[in-house]
Amino acid sequence: MLPLLGHTPDELREIAAEAGLPAFAGKQIARWLYTKGARSVDEMTDLSKAGREALKARCEVGVHAPADCRISADGTRKYLFRTADGHYVETVYIPDGDRATLCVSSQVGCKMGCTFCMTGRQGFAASLTAAEILNQIYALPERERLTNIVFMGQGEPLDNVDAVLRACEVLTAGWGLAWSPKRITVSSVGLRKGLERFIAESRCSLAISLHHPVPARRAEMMPAERAMGIAEIVAVLRRHKAAFESQRRLTFEYIVFGGLNDDSASADTLADLLRGLPCRVNLIRFHPIPSSPFRGTDETRLAAFRDRLCARGLTATIRASRGQDIEAACGLLSTKKQEENRRKEVLSR
């Protein structure tokens, strides 16, 4: 079945025509999907009954409820969504006062191989479609409470740039959800073609996963450094500096590891690298994963690292840790689910 979710009004008009509906039905379907939040074709009551039946024979809305949910003591909720080909991806809902952020996934697994990331250990299985990305938002029980969306879940968003750009278009277009682009942030390790396209074709905010300011050390942790190094990424961002000087935000994410990147020399190198960019640095506590050689830094060193960056002229903040009691770090829950399914398959043979 073709999911209707993720299509533009023009594309929906073509889909409607193939089902024998009049051309204007495309706009009607778009309104039901993106304004009224319909979850089934049957809800689209301004289409004729015959038209709805013809559409249902070919298409579905594409909204599917989560397969599992874990609730943290701090209110964070981790949802597990099943994809059309039987894989699982994670989505994390993070309430915080009058704000509510949703962290969505863009791929099943990841090709980037970052050594500190559980999703990277899974390897790569598939890229999500725009409909599967949007389903994480549409099928969310707390959808109406959302204030922000971050593409910081499983996968590398700019390795799936077509689907991510389409999802961002649906979220921000007047015919879609009409969200302000500043409410949406896409995170990336930095991929050459995807980065240039995202800056040119979207007005959403950008977060770069940096994690070490020294290229050789970053390459040890993040193999993507060898394809597009942090120096080149920063050079691209400097060329597009004007794009980030208004409401569009540029952030550098920096997981702080004890004894690895938490010293004053690393802070000074980071400050020199980013000098003059309209950006902020988001310092992140390391969430341990099984059999990892990495450890988090202590709170005193974390605060000192932040203060040194601020003293060097950068805006630096420490991200609050959420949901550690429900395995909120990316990849933990989906990995466990996949392992459970594999064990069941073996036992059933």
Side-chain angles (χ1 to χ4, degrees):
M1 284 288 206
L2 175 69
L4 297 171
L5 199 61
H7 288 94
T8 67
D10 286 343
E11 291 167 344
L12 291 170
R13 182 177 62 212
E14 294 178 5
I15 292 170
E18 290 171 0
L21 278 70
F24 62 79
K27 289 186 177 180
Q28 291 174 299
I29 296 169
R31 186 166 61 251
W32 280 106
L33 289 175
Y34 304 127
T35 303
K36 298 183 178 182
R39 290 174 174 252
S40 72
V41 173
D42 286 328
E43 294 178 43
M44 302 178 184
T45 52
D46 56 357
L47 301 180
S48 68
K49 184 176 181 181
R52 293 198 301 272
E53 292 300 320
L55 193 61
K56 283 165 54 180
R58 299 165 173 262
C59 307
E60 63 176 358
V61 168
V63 177
H64 302 283
D68 196 3
C69 176
R70 303 284 177 89
I71 304 175
S72 168
D74 65 19
T76 300
R77 296 183 177 224
K78 182 170 226 181
Y79 289 98
L80 198 63
F81 286 94
R82 192 175 190 274
T83 66
D85 53 7
H87 296 293
Y88 291 91
V89 293
E90 301 167 11
T91 307
V92 182
Y93 171 76
I94 309 167
D96 185 16
D98 59 355
R99 291 169 56 90
T101 300
L102 189 68
C103 180
V104 302
S105 295
S106 57
Q107 293 181 315
V108 180
C110 186
K111 301 175 186 176
M112 300 301 108
C114 296
T115 55
F116 48 83
C117 177
M118 194 68 189
T119 303
R121 290 188 186 180
Q122 291 181 3
F124 175 76
S127 286
L128 299 186
T129 64
E132 288 171 330
I133 293 172
L134 290 167
N135 182 60
Q136 297 169 70
I137 302 161
Y138 273 71
L140 190 79
E142 301 87 358
R143 173 183 164 184
E144 298 304 318
R145 303 178 194 171
L146 291 178
T147 60
N148 298 85
I149 292 172
V150 293
F151 284 76
M152 296 181 184
Q154 293 174 271
E156 163 54 53
L158 298 190
D159 187 45
N160 188 19
V161 67
D162 288 333
V164 168
L165 284 173
R166 171 55 62 90
C168 289
E169 181 184 10
V170 171
L171 291 168
T172 60
W175 49 260
L177 268 66
W179 276 36
S180 167
K182 68 181 180 180
R183 295 170 63 185
I184 301 165
T185 300
V186 173
S187 173
S188 175
V189 301
L191 299 181
R192 188 173 289 105
K193 290 182 180 179
L195 182 60
E196 294 277 9
R197 278 195 61 192
F198 177 77
I199 295 172
E201 298 178 30
S202 170
R203 293 182 294 119
C204 296
S205 295
L206 175 67
I208 296 295
S209 297
L210 199 158
H211 310 314
H212 207 296
V214 178
R217 299 301 302 277
R218 186 173 186 260
E220 293 171 1
M221 303 163 61
M222 305 173 65
E225 165 73 22
R226 302 185 185 100
M228 185 180 192
I230 191 60
E232 183 182 354
I233 293 168
V234 170
V236 169
L237 296 172
R238 289 190 188 282
R239 290 200 301 272
H240 295 281
K241 181 179 176 180
F244 300 100
E245 289 180 326
S246 54
Q247 291 185 332
R248 187 177 191 178
R249 177 176 289 182
L250 174 62
T251 303
F252 288 88
E253 298 169 296
Y254 192 95
I255 299 176
V256 188
F257 300 98
L260 180 62
N261 64 352
D262 62 345
D263 58 337
S264 57
S266 294
D268 290 341
T269 303
L270 180 59
D272 290 339
L273 176 69
L274 304 183
R275 184 188 297 116
L277 273 179
C279 67
R280 69 174 57 226
V281 178
N282 197 0
L283 303 176
I284 305 169
R285 295 172 178 85
F286 176 57
H287 285 205
I289 61 175
S291 305
S292 171
F294 299 103
R295 61 181 176 85
T297 192
D298 61 59
E299 293 300 312
T300 300
R301 288 180 70 85
L302 182 62
F305 195 90
R306 175 202 60 198
D307 294 345
R308 192 170 185 95
L309 291 179
C310 292
R312 291 290 307 273
L314 288 178
T315 299
T317 55
I318 298 173
R319 181 192 293 176
S321 293
R322 300 290 300 270
Q324 293 194 63
D325 58 323
I326 57 166
E327 303 171 304
C330 285
L332 289 175
L333 183 56
S334 60
T335 296
K336 181 177 287 188
K337 186 69 173 180
Q338 289 169 5
E339 289 173 349
E340 289 174 359
N341 287 348
R342 281 195 289 269
R343 284 195 294 270
K344 289 177 182 177
E345 288 176 5
V346 170
L347 292 172
S348 66
R349 289 173 186 169

mmCIF file of all heavy atoms in Angstrom, residues 32 40 65 96 127 134 146 182 205 302-303 328:
data_model
loop_
_atom_site.group_PDB
_atom_site.id
_atom_site.type_symbol
_atom_site.label_atom_id
_atom_site.label_comp_id
_atom_site.label_asym_id
_atom_site.label_seq_id
_atom_site.Cartn_x
_atom_site.Cartn_y
_atom_site.Cartn_z
ATOM 1 N N TRP A 32 -6.861 16.922 4.743
ATOM 2 C CA TRP A 32 -7.181 15.888 5.718
ATOM 3 C C TRP A 32 -5.918 15.363 6.413
ATOM 4 O O TRP A 32 -5.916 15.107 7.620
ATOM 5 C CB TRP A 32 -7.919 14.733 5.040
ATOM 6 C CG TRP A 32 -9.380 15.004 4.834
ATOM 7 C CD1 TRP A 32 -10.013 15.299 3.656
ATOM 8 C CD2 TRP A 32 -10.386 15.030 5.845
ATOM 9 N NE1 TRP A 32 -11.350 15.502 3.865
ATOM 10 C CE2 TRP A 32 -11.608 15.350 5.206
ATOM 11 C CE3 TRP A 32 -10.384 14.814 7.226
ATOM 12 C CZ2 TRP A 32 -12.806 15.452 5.899
ATOM 13 C CZ3 TRP A 32 -11.572 14.916 7.928
ATOM 14 C CH2 TRP A 32 -12.776 15.237 7.260
ATOM 15 N N SER A 40 -7.129 7.704 8.651
ATOM 16 C CA SER A 40 -7.624 6.725 7.680
ATOM 17 C C SER A 40 -8.316 7.448 6.535
ATOM 18 O O SER A 40 -8.795 8.579 6.691
ATOM 19 C CB SER A 40 -8.604 5.752 8.335
ATOM 20 O OG SER A 40 -9.827 6.403 8.621
ATOM 21 N N ALA A 65 0.728 3.096 14.925
ATOM 22 C CA ALA A 65 1.012 3.329 16.341
ATOM 23 C C ALA A 65 2.352 2.715 16.742
ATOM 24 O O ALA A 65 2.819 1.743 16.125
ATOM 25 C CB ALA A 65 -0.102 2.724 17.199
ATOM 26 N N ASP A 96 9.577 19.310 29.048
ATOM 27 C CA ASP A 96 10.382 20.173 29.915
ATOM 28 C C ASP A 96 9.623 21.472 30.162
ATOM 29 O O ASP A 96 9.760 22.432 29.405
ATOM 30 C CB ASP A 96 11.737 20.455 29.267
ATOM 31 C CG ASP A 96 12.661 21.257 30.170
ATOM 32 O OD1 ASP A 96 12.391 21.348 31.385
ATOM 33 O OD2 ASP A 96 13.668 21.802 29.661
ATOM 34 N N SER A 127 17.337 3.116 5.079
ATOM 35 C CA SER A 127 16.932 4.501 5.292
ATOM 36 C C SER A 127 15.416 4.555 5.407
ATOM 37 O O SER A 127 14.711 3.828 4.704
ATOM 38 C CB SER A 127 17.389 5.386 4.129
ATOM 39 O OG SER A 127 18.787 5.618 4.181
ATOM 40 N N LEU A 134 7.842 10.860 9.283
ATOM 41 C CA LEU A 134 6.697 11.639 9.739
ATOM 42 C C LEU A 134 5.789 10.832 10.659
ATOM 43 O O LEU A 134 5.146 11.398 11.558
ATOM 44 C CB LEU A 134 5.909 12.167 8.544
ATOM 45 C CG LEU A 134 6.618 13.251 7.731
ATOM 46 C CD1 LEU A 134 5.898 13.467 6.401
ATOM 47 C CD2 LEU A 134 6.689 14.558 8.509
ATOM 48 N N LEU A 146 3.838 19.025 21.229
ATOM 49 C CA LEU A 146 5.195 19.252 20.724
ATOM 50 C C LEU A 146 5.469 20.728 20.447
ATOM 51 O O LEU A 146 4.645 21.423 19.872
ATOM 52 C CB LEU A 146 5.427 18.453 19.452
ATOM 53 C CG LEU A 146 5.488 16.935 19.586
ATOM 54 C CD1 LEU A 146 5.679 16.294 18.212
ATOM 55 C CD2 LEU A 146 6.608 16.527 20.527
ATOM 56 N N LYS A 182 12.468 27.292 12.643
ATOM 57 C CA LYS A 182 13.379 27.398 13.788
ATOM 58 C C LYS A 182 13.017 26.386 14.884
ATOM 59 O O LYS A 182 13.805 26.169 15.807
ATOM 60 C CB LYS A 182 13.387 28.809 14.356
ATOM 61 C CG LYS A 182 12.112 29.256 15.028
ATOM 62 C CD LYS A 182 12.248 30.677 15.527
ATOM 63 C CE LYS A 182 10.970 31.166 16.213
ATOM 64 N NZ LYS A 182 11.099 32.560 16.691
ATOM 65 N N SER A 205 17.128 24.614 11.465
ATOM 66 C CA SER A 205 18.403 24.779 12.152
ATOM 67 C C SER A 205 19.287 23.549 11.953
ATOM 68 O O SER A 205 18.819 22.458 11.603
ATOM 69 C CB SER A 205 18.164 25.030 13.640
ATOM 70 O OG SER A 205 17.494 26.259 13.840
ATOM 71 N N LEU A 302 33.304 19.271 33.678
ATOM 72 C CA LEU A 302 32.318 19.669 32.681
ATOM 73 C C LEU A 302 32.007 21.156 32.802
ATOM 74 O O LEU A 302 31.989 21.887 31.797
ATOM 75 C CB LEU A 302 31.049 18.839 32.856
ATOM 76 C CG LEU A 302 29.908 19.083 31.868
ATOM 77 C CD1 LEU A 302 30.341 18.756 30.445
ATOM 78 C CD2 LEU A 302 28.691 18.239 32.246
ATOM 79 N N ALA A 303 31.774 21.607 34.024
ATOM 80 C CA ALA A 303 31.489 23.028 34.247
ATOM 81 C C ALA A 303 32.692 23.893 33.898
ATOM 82 O O ALA A 303 32.551 24.982 33.319
ATOM 83 C CB ALA A 303 31.066 23.252 35.689
ATOM 84 N N ALA A 328 17.655 5.686 27.266
ATOM 85 C CA ALA A 328 17.331 6.721 26.295
ATOM 86 C C ALA A 328 18.442 6.964 25.284
ATOM 87 O O ALA A 328 18.219 7.595 24.272
ATOM 88 C CB ALA A 328 16.994 8.033 27.015
#
